[in-house]
Amino acid sequence: MNETRVPGSRPAVDSGRRRFLIEIPALAAAMAACGPTEVAKRTGATDTATTPAAETTTQPTQNADSRSDTSLHRAMPATSSVPGASPAAAAVPFHRIDPTLPPVSRERVTRLHFTVKETPIRVRDDTVVAAWTFDGDIPGPIVHVRQGDRVEFTLTNAGSIPHSMDFHAAQLDPKVAFRSVMPGQSISYSFAPRYAGAFLYHCGTAPVLMHLGSGMFGAIVVDPPTPLPRAKEVVLVESEFYLGAPVNGIAPFDYTKMLATLPDLFAFNGRPAQYQAAPIHVTHGELVRFHVVNAGPTHPCAFHVVGEQFDTVYLGAPPGSAIHGVQTYSVPAGGGMIFEMRADHPGEFVFVNHAFGHGQKGAIGTLVVDG
Amino acid sequence: MNETRVPGSRPAVDSGRRRFLIEIPALAAAMAACGPTEVAKRTGATDTATTPAAETTTQPTQNADSRSDTSLHRAMPATSSVPGASPAAAAVPFHRIDPTLPPVSRERVTRLHFTVKETPIRVRDDTVVAAWTFDGDIPGPIVHVRQGDRVEFTLTNAGSIPHSMDFHAAQLDPKVAFRSVMPGQSISYSFAPRYAGAFLYHCGTAPVLMHLGSGMFGAIVVDPPTPLPRAKEVVLVESEFYLGAPVNGIAPFDYTKMLATLPDLFAFNGRPAQYQAAPIHVTHGELVRFHVVNAGPTHPCAFHVVGEQFDTVYLGAPPGSAIHGVQTYSVPAGGGMIFEMRADHPGEFVFVNHAFGHGQKGAIGTLVVDG
Amino acid sequence: MNETRVPGSRPAVDSGRRRFLIEIPALAAAMAACGPTEVAKRTGATDTATTPAAETTTQPTQNADSRSDTSLHRAMPATSSVPGASPAAAAVPFHRIDPTLPPVSRERVTRLHFTVKETPIRVRDDTVVAAWTFDGDIPGPIVHVRQGDRVEFTLTNAGSIPHSMDFHAAQLDPKVAFRSVMPGQSISYSFAPRYAGAFLYHCGTAPVLMHLGSGMFGAIVVDPPTPLPRAKEVVLVESEFYLGAPVNGIAPFDYTKMLATLPDLFAFNGRPAQYQAAPIHVTHGELVRFHVVNAGPTHPCAFHVVGEQFDTVYLGAPPGSAIHGVQTYSVPAGGGMIFEMRADHPGEFVFVNHAFGHGQKGAIGTLVVDG
């Protein structure tokens, strides 16, 4: 990547309609790494590795976006911010994220079109964050498909800086499929998940830590060819919050704090402790299947349900790679595992990241087994 | 939970005989969450989920104790303290914890009666801590039962604030069985462990981080129906110490430091490096079985024996969920795993949390294989 | 260990030719713990536990080296340093570490002779560290042998303080085989690896955290009796850097920072992000086998390849202890695991510690699949 392509610290691509001030070399460089020829038109990438002509570069063995991850980590402190959005911020309502796994598509081809939106989100009563999102929320939409079926995916960047999409369920050349998209542009690619499981997706634009840590993640659940036994299925995406001082009532995500790895808050599905305020309900006797995906960006999630034990934890693709009779198991950052228990006792069962210095900061909720 | 139920910052339940000053909203609220109607009499709970009448509340879908975990984590700094105990503290002797797994009960029903005691404990020559304990020590008693047999458990709270008991080996409604008990009161419940393994038990009163982090934990080992091969069996419960400045010679556990997740000390069985000063002895040729339970509250334990390899590590319930030929495996906070090695070389083998920034702080000991 | 054996804060064994100033009680004590009778002559140790006469001590049940690990952790801040080496430091060139697993020895006995060297190493363009090494580099030489074959190992200490060698692939009495060697002396021992896998080796001299954290580690890969399928095999040893302010252009490793567990940098094979600057190449269609060994000293490595999934991860000795269809799995500090993927898509695949607050600091590289 030629640093001289970055004329100043301000990116030249601010949208007039709405600006995220990115006054830092790191993000300016990230934008520069995504040259106009790459994103001037909507291009297609598939897992047959068809590379559009626009992809031709002078650095064939190097993914500039990814390389910059490390070279930029000592850049000036970065924060996400939403100047001028204060009045809107005060009005942003809180809403709970439904953790229910949506039904699997009946079609052999699932078409997804996500839009990147940089937008304030109220993550609890007293906290609105300057979020970078897929489709306007943290986490992004939960996707549910079958192993081997095709996902046709389009990402449109309605934000003010480059973004991208990295599906952990896909096997694709990241340099092509997961490359950064300039504001106002789109990219499309398709893939057929080779393995079943609960997978993370996230923005892969450098610095990944900043994009992942600012809200750009979600989960894709892939069913095996022979479905697992019928169950109440919920998806819990754990993440960490590293927040700067609020500006006009909106707390920015703070890159320097992300690098320091001491989070302020944790959450399942983007709101600290939301399922304590409004629990998840299941019925007595049901099999409950937790798809636990850990967005991180950094710490493991030691998943546990108080008063219960997991009959099965799938460390890899179900129905294989299973262990049984487990109190707690750790999902690494960037990983996903599936936890099953039988709701054979009515009552109120707290699920928690049992790394309690983290769980206590919001990675905690309640599962109510209705009798 | 109605905050107006907390009239002031001082709990009203101080015992005259001995006080732990809890001058903080977090614990005051925790006490309030445990209303007098719940604990005014000794109640019974079983895994058939019989809820005593006193359990009826106006918030049927919410476990007030657990909910407060998160809502309170930004409360004023909390420390455990033992005012006026200074003379006694100086006289508190150090004693080593015997790590030997006690024999399994021959009875089909194991009756346990633990008493919560808030008491100074000398954890090494120069350090006495203001501990919250089960039966006066860190860790609490090691329990050893068989899968399917019944445990009839009673907890009596001889402390000054509410406490409770959460057995990871039990499948029970936590709202009933694991609820907080007021000082001077007792609670009873019973359970039949469904799975074999090495399980944590700990106080589940909010904020759990504070109670777990102040010494309220121990281990219960559950044998499978067909016992594992005869072995020298030891139990190692790892934990972290977050200590404030000593008051009258006694170091309090510090809740703010727990939230900051950077521990001062680590220990197996409550005393940093106690088994370096007084090693664990086994005989040449013996199978050695380590039941490694990680109380945390936060960090994983990367268990390793210098100069040895584990023939088997049980990630879940033995005899299944086993892997073989392992140098080091990580037990998550709130988890437990079983590690087996053959002592086929006489010598001195250091066992350690190989996350050495943690092991070096006291999660280290010596296994002597006598020739 | 008798502290009175340490007459002053300066070790008496400085080599005239080159000095590492060790002005701290911790290391002085470590040196004292390794008395002259133990290392005055070259001694041999084998896995049949033959203890040379010189090994006789007055503390038969205690490994003084290991015991000091904990007792010393509150010593004065320690740093590695290379006074007077400034001119040489500026001239130290950067070189990339070849990650290719060397061919397995065709002999039934592999003879290794490593030399401890305390030497400046350029780990990236702007950073030279005061390293303690095996054979002058970080990591030390990659060893590749077959399960059951014999390794005859000799360590010569050409450094200025005591050092030692702990092979995780060996089953030996550490008190004999892994004991500290005084400067100018050597030790020999042999072992026959019982299990296949990817194992860490490291200096085991107290405080281990300091020696391991200052560069004294490497990997030994042990093939199973029936070799795994032919593959492109690479070895990635992850480690953390805790650096003090440079002295004469050389950054010392800082023991106090190691204890604080917040690393400055991470690397695969000793250079942050070296495989982004100069990627690892494989051929389209090849099976790729990553031997991921985590030297730590403290944090787990959540290993992931962007745009790929692991067909197999061996949690223990291959070909057993395997899970399949894995996006990310965590290798504990002091552990090693083997990750396999099929390079069935040409392109550029970033491999990373997906604990991104760590990966972003240098535990990241690029795998190019040439079409």
Side-chain angles (χ1 to χ4, degrees):
Chain A
M1 189 176 63
N2 189 342
E3 293 290 342
T4 62
R5 292 166 62 191
V6 187
S9 63
R10 289 288 184 95
V13 295
D14 283 351
S15 108
R17 164 172 71 84
R18 183 146 150 284
R19 297 192 317 157
F20 264 63
L21 272 185
I22 307 300
E23 310 193 44
I24 49 165
L27 297 183
M31 297 185 72
C34 184
T37 59
E38 286 188 60
V39 294
K41 61 188 182 68
R42 177 161 163 177
T43 56
T46 75
D47 58 0
T48 55
T50 303
T51 306
E55 203 51 35
T56 307
T57 79
T58 57
Q59 297 172 323
T61 62
Q62 192 57 41
N63 181 341
D65 295 340
S66 301
R67 184 180 49 183
S68 52
D69 286 352
T70 297
S71 62
L72 294 173
H73 87 267
R74 292 175 301 169
M76 296 291 292
T79 58
S80 61
S81 60
V82 197
S86 176
V92 173
F94 177 89
H95 71 99
R96 175 184 185 270
I97 298 287
D98 183 357
T100 307
L101 179 68
V104 69
S105 169
R106 291 178 169 277
E107 306 297 324
R108 307 303 300 190
V109 177
T110 297
R111 290 179 185 81
L112 303 172
H113 189 159
F114 287 4
T115 300
V116 173
K117 299 177 184 175
E118 299 156 347
T119 183
I121 294 181
R122 186 172 300 278
V123 298
R124 58 180 188 181
D125 285 355
D126 61 357
T127 309
V128 176
V129 298
W132 297 349
T133 75
F134 293 110
D135 276 9
D137 219 334
I138 303 177
I142 298 171
V143 182
H144 188 190
V145 300
R146 279 173 301 198
Q147 183 180 330
D149 285 1
R150 184 150 292 272
V151 177
E152 293 186 354
F153 176 72
T154 295
L155 181 70
T156 294
N157 185 355
S160 60
I161 59 166
H163 294 291
S164 59
M165 174 57 92
D166 169 349
F167 274 102
H168 283 196
Q171 298 199 8
L172 285 169
D173 179 4
K175 185 175 173 62
V176 178
F178 302 166
R179 72 182 180 280
S180 292
V181 184
M182 291 293 276
Q185 303 295 332
S186 296
I187 188 174
S188 295
Y189 60 83
S190 80
F191 61 97
R194 182 177 301 175
Y195 289 110
F199 297 95
L200 181 69
Y201 66 73
H202 64 91
C203 180
T205 298
V208 175
L209 175 62
M210 181 66 188
H211 287 251
L212 181 52
S214 295
M216 301 191 77
F217 56 80
I220 174 170
V221 172
V222 181
D223 284 355
T226 301
L228 296 174
R230 178 187 294 271
K232 166 74 175 186
E233 300 193 76
V234 299
V235 179
L236 299 175
V237 185
E238 198 206 60
S239 67
E240 306 150 17
F241 289 76
Y242 302 86
L243 299 176
V247 176
N248 293 326
I250 300 178
F253 288 100
D254 186 308
Y255 186 61
T256 301
K257 292 182 71 170
M258 292 176 197
L259 285 167
T261 70
L262 299 172
D264 300 302
L265 297 170
F266 281 71
F268 289 119
N269 296 343
R271 280 87 175 138
Q274 66 179 318
Y275 304 120
Q276 291 207 303
I280 300 170
H281 284 262
V282 301
T283 301
H284 183 196
E286 273 188 310
L287 180 63
V288 182
R289 183 173 298 127
F290 295 94
H291 300 270
V292 180
V293 172
N294 185 0
T298 296
H299 296 283
C301 176
F303 193 65
H304 174 81
V305 176
V306 177
E308 271 290 351
Q309 295 168 307
F310 300 114
D311 300 305
T312 303
V313 181
Y314 299 99
L315 308 183
S321 302
I323 59 175
H324 304 285
V326 178
Q327 63 194 300
T328 304
Y329 210 82
S330 189
V331 182
M337 293 178 185
I338 300 172
F339 295 73
E340 288 182 352
M341 54 162 268
R342 178 70 59 180
D344 43 14
H345 295 281
E348 297 182 19
F349 300 83
V350 170
F351 53 88
V352 65
N353 179 344
H354 213 298
F356 248 100
H358 297 158
Q360 198 82 63
K361 294 188 175 81
I364 192 165
T366 302
L367 178 80
V368 174
V369 178
D370 295 311
Chain B
M1 188 176 62
N2 190 341
E3 292 291 343
T4 63
R5 291 164 64 190
V6 186
S9 62
R10 291 287 184 93
V13 293
D14 283 350
S15 107
R17 163 174 71 82
R18 181 148 150 285
R19 294 193 317 156
F20 266 63
L21 272 184
I22 308 298
E23 310 194 43
I24 49 167
L27 298 182
M31 297 187 71
C34 184
T37 58
E38 288 186 59
V39 292
K41 62 189 182 66
R42 176 162 164 176
T43 55
T46 75
D47 59 359
T48 54
T50 303
T51 305
E55 204 51 34
T56 307
T57 79
T58 57
Q59 297 171 325
T61 62
Q62 191 59 40
N63 181 341
D65 294 341
S66 301
R67 184 180 49 180
S68 51
D69 287 352
T70 297
S71 61
L72 294 173
H73 87 267
R74 292 176 300 168
M76 296 293 290
T79 58
S80 62
S81 59
V82 197
S86 175
V92 173
F94 177 89
H95 71 100
R96 175 185 185 269
I97 298 286
D98 183 356
T100 306
L101 179 69
V104 68
S105 170
R106 291 178 169 276
E107 305 297 322
R108 307 303 302 190
V109 176
T110 297
R111 290 180 184 79
L112 302 172
H113 188 160
F114 288 3
T115 301
V116 174
K117 299 177 182 174
E118 300 155 348
T119 182
I121 294 181
R122 185 172 301 278
V123 297
R124 59 180 188 179
D125 285 356
D126 61 357
T127 309
V128 175
V129 299
W132 297 349
T133 75
F134 293 109
D135 275 10
D137 218 335
I138 303 177
I142 297 171
V143 181
H144 189 190
V145 300
R146 279 173 300 199
Q147 182 181 328
D149 284 0
R150 183 150 292 273
V151 177
E152 294 187 355
F153 176 73
T154 295
L155 181 70
T156 294
N157 185 354
S160 60
I161 59 167
H163 294 292
S164 59
M165 175 57 92
D166 169 350
F167 275 102
H168 283 195
Q171 297 199 10
L172 284 168
D173 180 4
K175 186 175 173 61
V176 178
F178 302 166
R179 71 182 180 281
S180 292
V181 184
M182 291 294 275
Q185 304 294 331
S186 297
I187 189 175
S188 296
Y189 60 83
S190 79
F191 62 97
R194 182 179 302 177
Y195 288 110
F199 297 95
L200 180 70
Y201 65 74
H202 64 91
C203 179
T205 298
V208 175
L209 175 62
M210 181 66 188
H211 287 250
L212 181 52
S214 296
M216 302 193 76
F217 56 80
I220 174 171
V221 172
V222 181
D223 284 355
T226 301
L228 296 174
R230 177 187 294 270
K232 167 74 173 186
E233 300 193 75
V234 300
V235 180
L236 299 175
V237 185
E238 197 205 62
S239 66
E240 305 151 19
F241 290 76
Y242 303 86
L243 300 176
V247 176
N248 293 327
I250 301 178
F253 288 100
D254 186 308
Y255 186 61
T256 301
K257 292 182 71 170
M258 292 177 197
L259 285 166
T261 69
L262 298 172
D264 300 303
L265 297 170
F266 281 71
F268 289 119
N269 294 343
R271 280 86 173 141
Q274 66 179 316
Y275 303 120
Q276 290 208 303
I280 300 171
H281 285 261
V282 301
T283 301
H284 183 195
E286 273 188 312
L287 180 65
V288 183
R289 185 173 296 126
F290 295 95
H291 300 270
V292 180
V293 172
N294 186 359
T298 296
H299 296 283
C301 177
F303 192 65
H304 173 81
V305 176
V306 177
E308 272 290 352
Q309 296 169 306
F310 300 114
D311 300 305
T312 303
V313 181
Y314 299 99
L315 308 183
S321 303
I323 61 175
H324 304 284
V326 177
Q327 63 194 302
T328 304
Y329 210 82
S330 191
V331 181
M337 292 179 186
I338 300 172
F339 295 73
E340 288 182 351
M341 53 162 268
R342 178 71 59 179
D344 43 15
H345 295 282
E348 297 182 18
F349 301 82
V350 169
F351 52 89
V352 65
N353 179 343
H354 213 297
F356 248 99
H358 297 158
Q360 198 81 64
K361 294 189 175 81
I364 192 166
T366 301
L367 178 81
V368 174
V369 179
D370 296 311
Chain C
M1 191 176 59
N2 189 342
E3 292 290 343
T4 63
R5 291 164 64 189
V6 187
S9 61
R10 291 284 184 97
V13 292
D14 283 351
S15 106
R17 160 174 75 82
R18 185 149 148 281
R19 296 191 319 157
F20 266 63
L21 271 185
I22 308 299
E23 311 194 43
I24 50 168
L27 298 183
M31 298 186 70
C34 184
T37 59
E38 286 187 60
V39 292
K41 61 186 182 71
R42 178 163 161 175
T43 56
T46 74
D47 59 359
T48 54
T50 303
T51 304
E55 203 51 33
T56 306
T57 79
T58 57
Q59 297 172 325
T61 61
Q62 192 57 40
N63 181 340
D65 296 340
S66 302
R67 183 181 48 182
S68 52
D69 286 353
T70 297
S71 60
L72 294 173
H73 88 268
R74 292 175 300 168
M76 296 291 292
T79 58
S80 62
S81 59
V82 197
S86 176
V92 173
F94 177 89
H95 70 100
R96 175 184 185 268
I97 298 287
D98 183 357
T100 306
L101 179 69
V104 69
S105 170
R106 290 178 170 277
E107 306 297 323
R108 308 303 301 188
V109 176
T110 297
R111 290 179 184 81
L112 302 173
H113 189 160
F114 288 3
T115 301
V116 174
K117 299 177 183 174
E118 299 155 348
T119 183
I121 293 180
R122 186 173 300 277
V123 298
R124 59 179 187 180
D125 285 355
D126 62 356
T127 308
V128 176
V129 300
W132 297 349
T133 75
F134 293 110
D135 276 10
D137 218 334
I138 303 177
I142 298 171
V143 181
H144 188 189
V145 299
R146 280 172 299 198
Q147 182 181 330
D149 285 0
R150 182 151 294 271
V151 177
E152 294 186 355
F153 176 73
T154 295
L155 182 70
T156 295
N157 185 355
S160 60
I161 59 167
H163 294 292
S164 59
M165 174 58 92
D166 170 349
F167 275 102
H168 283 195
Q171 298 199 10
L172 285 168
D173 179 2
K175 184 175 175 61
V176 178
F178 302 166
R179 71 184 181 279
S180 291
V181 184
M182 290 294 275
Q185 303 294 331
S186 297
I187 189 174
S188 296
Y189 59 84
S190 80
F191 62 97
R194 182 178 301 175
Y195 288 111
F199 297 95
L200 181 70
Y201 66 74
H202 64 92
C203 180
T205 298
V208 175
L209 175 62
M210 180 65 187
H211 287 250
L212 181 52
S214 296
M216 302 192 76
F217 56 80
I220 175 171
V221 172
V222 181
D223 284 354
T226 301
L228 296 174
R230 177 187 295 272
K232 167 76 173 185
E233 300 194 76
V234 300
V235 179
L236 299 175
V237 185
E238 198 206 60
S239 67
E240 305 150 18
F241 289 76
Y242 302 87
L243 300 176
V247 176
N248 294 326
I250 301 178
F253 288 100
D254 186 308
Y255 186 61
T256 301
K257 291 182 71 170
M258 292 177 197
L259 285 166
T261 70
L262 299 172
D264 300 302
L265 297 171
F266 281 72
F268 289 119
N269 296 342
R271 280 86 174 139
Q274 66 179 317
Y275 303 120
Q276 291 207 304
I280 300 171
H281 284 261
V282 301
T283 302
H284 183 195
E286 274 189 311
L287 180 65
V288 183
R289 183 173 297 126
F290 295 95
H291 300 269
V292 180
V293 171
N294 185 0
T298 297
H299 296 283
C301 176
F303 193 65
H304 174 81
V305 176
V306 176
E308 272 290 351
Q309 296 170 304
F310 300 113
D311 300 306
T312 303
V313 181
Y314 299 99
L315 309 183
S321 302
I323 60 175
H324 304 284
V326 178
Q327 62 193 301
T328 304
Y329 210 82
S330 191
V331 182
M337 293 178 186
I338 299 172
F339 294 73
E340 288 182 350
M341 54 162 267
R342 177 71 60 179
D344 43 14
H345 295 281
E348 297 181 19
F349 300 83
V350 170
F351 53 88
V352 65
N353 179 343
H354 214 298
F356 248 100
H358 297 158
Q360 198 81 64
K361 293 188 176 82
I364 191 166
T366 301
L367 178 81
V368 174
V369 178
D370 295 312

